Amino acid sequence: MNETLTQNGNSSSATESRPVYIIDGARTPFIKARGKPGPFTPVDLAVQCGRSLLLRQPFRASDFDQVILGCVNVISKEMNPARIAALRLGMGVDMPAFTVQINCGSGMQSIDTAYKYIRSGESNLILAGGAEALSHAPLFFGQEAVAWFASLSRGALIDKIKKMFRFNPKYFKPEISLKHGLTDPIVDMNMGQTAEKLAYLFNITREQADQYAVSSHKRLHRAQQENFLANEVEPLFSRYGQLYENDDGVRPDSSLEKLAKLSPAFEPPYGKITAGNSSQITDGASWVILASEEAVKQYKLEPRAAIKDSEWSALDPSIMGLGPVLSSTAIMKRHNLSLDHIDLWEINEAFAAQVLACLKAWNDVEFCKNVLGLEQSMGEMDRDKLNVDGGAISMGHPVGTSGNRIVLHLMNAMHRLDKKQGIATECIGGGQAGAMLIERV
C-alpha cells in the first residue's frame, strides 16, 4: 500500500503576501439528470447564478479584474464558457475570462487560481466559479463510424458510392461520453471501481456505506427544512417558466432497508458501491467573489472568510478517493493543526465508501506513518464536523462545480455555527486531490 500511496504534492503554502478574502457567493439548485438534456447549459447555469450575486454587490460588474470558471464537460456551442458567461453577465467586452479543468477539482481550481492572482498583487477583485451540465454530456460515434464517414469525403464519385454500400448499422450506435469520462485510461478502472478498491482495503461494509448515504440525505433535508441554504441557493427559471428552488435529488425517506435492496453497480454481486451510496449525476453552478484588502477598502466590502492556504496532491489513480487525506494533511502539517483543530470539514461525497476510507486512513497508525510521514495516527474525526448539511450523495456532483460549492458552503456553515476555521477538500478522478483552508472573518 505504501508504494502506491506516495504523495506528490504541489504546495501553495501561504507566504508573506497579501491577504485574500471571500466576499460573497451563490449557487444554483443542483438538478438531477433524468436521462435527457436538462433545461440549462453550463453557461445558462453560470449566468443565472451570477446575475443575482452581482446585482447585490456595491460595485459594478465591470469592476472585476477577471473571471475564472471551472467546467469539465464543455459543450460545442460554449467553448470557453467563462468568457461567454462574463459577456452575458454584462461584465464588459474587455473583461478577461478563462476556463479551468482538473476534473472534480475544477470549481476549487478557479478559486485557487484567483487566490494566487490576488495574493501576488496581480489582481484585486475576481469572480471565480464552476458550472456543469452533466445532462448535456454528448454522445459520439465510435472510431469505426468516424472512419467510414470520413471516407465518404475522399475519392471519385464511384468510390464514394461503393463506400456507402459498406455501411454497417452498428455505426449509428452512439457511445456515451460521460461513461468514458468516468473511466481512468491509465488503470482502466471507472470511478466506482476505485471506490470498491478502497472499500476492500479499509474493510468498509455495505451497511456502513449505506448508513453514511442515509445520513447525507437526512442532513440535506434538514438543511432545506430549516432554511439553512436560503442565502446560498439562488432559484433557476427555465425558458419555459419552470421554477427550480431546491436541490431535487434529496430523498428524505431514505433508509437502510431501502438502500439494501439496490444491487452493486460496479462489482456484482458482492460489491459495496450502489447507486444509492454514490454521488448523483446533476447540473449546477456556483460562484464566489474574491477580493484583496485594497478592494475591500475601496468598495467598503464586508469579507466573510479569508483563504489561508491550499494544496494539490496526486496519487495512484486506482485509489484516487484517498486524495483528500494527502492534500488536507499537508495543510494541517504546515499550520501545526490536528483534526480536532478544524471546526468544520467539507469532503466531497464522490462515494460513501470513499469518504469513509479517508476517515479510516487518518485513524490508521501504519498509514499515517508510512504515507503521511507522521509519528502516530491523526485520530478519529468527529462526524458532527463533517458535511453538516449533506453532500454530493444527497444533492449531486456536477463535476466542475462541486469544488466551488464546498468552499462556499463551508464559509456559510462556519458563520451559521459560529466556527473559526474549516477545510474543504475533494478527490479528483485521475488520482489527484485539492484542499483549501479558510477562516471566518
Side-chain angles (χ1 to χ4, degrees):
M1 187 184 295
N2 184 31
E3 293 180 358
T4 60
L5 284 168
T6 302
Q7 179 177 6
N8 179 14
N10 179 14
S11 169
S12 58
S13 167
T15 58
E16 293 296 327
S17 53
R18 305 198 309 167
V20 180
Y21 299 106
I22 303 176
I23 303 302
D24 199 356
R27 72 172 176 91
T28 69
F30 284 5
I31 305 171
K32 188 175 180 179
R34 290 177 166 83
K36 61 181 180 179
F40 309 100
T41 68
V43 170
D44 291 337
L45 293 162
V47 171
Q48 288 214 36
C49 181
R51 278 180 182 146
S52 55
L53 176 63
L54 298 185
L55 283 172
R56 65 182 182 231
Q57 305 309 316
F59 50 82
R60 299 168 300 176
S62 58
D63 288 332
F64 283 95
D65 294 314
Q66 56 184 315
V67 176
I68 308 172
L69 182 71
C71 186
V72 178
N73 289 275
V74 177
I75 66 175
S76 60
K77 293 183 178 180
E78 295 180 352
M79 293 299 168
N80 192 10
R83 172 63 173 172
I84 301 171
L87 291 172
R88 285 180 55 184
L89 284 168
M91 302 180 76
V93 295
D94 56 349
M95 179 63 62
F98 61 94
T99 303
V100 294
Q101 203 273 63
I102 184 174
N103 284 343
C104 314
S106 302
M108 183 179 286
Q109 179 68 72
S110 71
I111 299 176
D112 191 44
T113 304
Y115 162 55
K116 290 168 183 172
Y117 270 117
I118 294 174
R119 191 181 67 180
S120 68
E122 295 180 62
S123 297
N124 287 303
L125 194 62
I126 298 177
L127 181 63
E132 198 77 60
L134 292 179
S135 68
H136 285 259
L139 302 176
F140 59 88
F141 293 113
Q143 290 301 309
E144 288 184 349
V146 172
W148 179 79
F149 280 116
S151 70
L152 296 180
S153 63
R154 301 190 301 269
L157 178 60
I158 187 64
D159 294 325
K160 293 179 180 180
I161 293 174
K162 291 178 180 179
K163 291 172 183 176
M164 289 183 67
F165 284 102
R166 297 174 191 161
F167 171 76
N168 190 320
K170 71 177 183 180
Y171 293 163
F172 279 138
K173 183 180 179 180
E175 297 183 19
I176 302 172
S177 64
L178 187 59
K179 180 180 178 180
H180 286 264
L182 294 176
T183 300
D184 185 86
I186 304 301
V187 296
D188 195 26
M189 295 171 67
N190 63 50
M191 298 300 100
Q193 290 172 320
T194 69
E196 287 283 10
K197 184 172 181 177
L198 294 184
Y200 170 76
L201 290 173
F202 289 91
N203 194 28
I204 295 165
T205 67
R206 166 72 181 272
E207 184 176 3
Q208 288 172 332
D210 285 349
Q211 183 61 65
Y212 183 92
V214 170
S215 174
S216 181
H217 284 282
K218 299 296 185 187
R219 291 184 177 196
L220 177 57
H221 179 61
R222 175 174 174 264
Q224 291 178 340
Q225 295 299 108
E226 298 291 334
N227 289 321
F228 292 161
L229 308 178
N231 296 322
E232 178 174 315
V233 178
E234 296 292 338
L236 287 167
F237 298 89
S238 77
R239 66 186 64 189
Y240 305 108
Q242 187 170 0
L243 170 65
Y244 299 86
E245 293 184 278
N246 299 301
D247 307 309
D248 64 3
V250 63
R251 296 187 291 272
D253 60 346
S254 182
S255 67
L256 278 175
E257 293 73 23
K258 290 181 178 180
L259 292 185
K261 297 177 182 178
L262 300 177
S263 299
F266 304 101
E267 295 291 343
Y270 303 113
K272 310 297 192 299
I273 313 302
T274 71
N277 57 38
S278 306
S279 57
Q280 301 180 39
I281 298 174
T282 49
D283 301 347
S286 175
W287 290 108
V288 294
I289 296 172
L290 278 70
S292 66
E293 202 160 28
E294 289 84 343
V296 167
K297 293 176 181 177
Q298 179 180 353
Y299 299 111
K300 298 180 174 59
L301 305 176
E302 296 183 7
R304 292 178 56 78
I307 300 178
K308 307 306 292 185
D309 203 354
S310 65
E311 175 76 19
W312 299 92
S313 301
L315 72 168
D316 188 316
S318 71
I319 47 175
M320 65 94 195
L322 287 179
V325 177
L326 304 185
S327 53
S328 301
T329 301
I331 289 177
M332 288 188 283
K333 288 170 72 173
R334 280 200 292 271
H335 296 266
N336 296 314
L337 300 171
S338 68
L339 290 178
D340 291 336
H341 287 126
I342 306 303
D343 297 314
L344 288 179
W345 286 85
E346 285 288 325
I347 301 178
N348 189 48
E349 298 172 352
F351 303 92
Q354 167 262 321
V355 176
L356 294 174
C358 289
L359 302 188
K360 285 199 171 186
W362 268 315
N363 201 29
D364 185 273
V365 176
E366 180 184 354
F367 183 95
C368 289
K369 284 184 176 181
N370 296 335
V371 179
L372 302 179
L374 303 173
E375 295 182 358
Q376 57 188 13
S377 75
M378 294 286 286
E380 190 169 353
M381 181 186 292
D382 182 351
R383 297 281 285 275
D384 289 336
K385 294 181 176 183
L386 172 64
N387 297 349
V388 293
D389 297 317
I393 289 173
S394 52
M395 73 179 65
H397 177 23
V399 181
T401 306
S402 293
N404 199 276
R405 181 201 71 80
I406 59 176
V407 175
L408 169 63
H409 185 69
L410 178 62
M411 175 182 72
N412 290 338
M414 288 195 301
H415 275 269
R416 186 182 88 234
L417 300 173
D418 193 25
K419 302 299 182 181
K420 179 184 178 182
Q421 60 187 352
I423 288 180
T425 181
E426 72 282 318
C427 61
I428 297 173
Q432 300 188 88
M436 187 162 284
L437 172 68
I438 66 173
E439 286 188 358
R440 178 172 61 90
V441 176

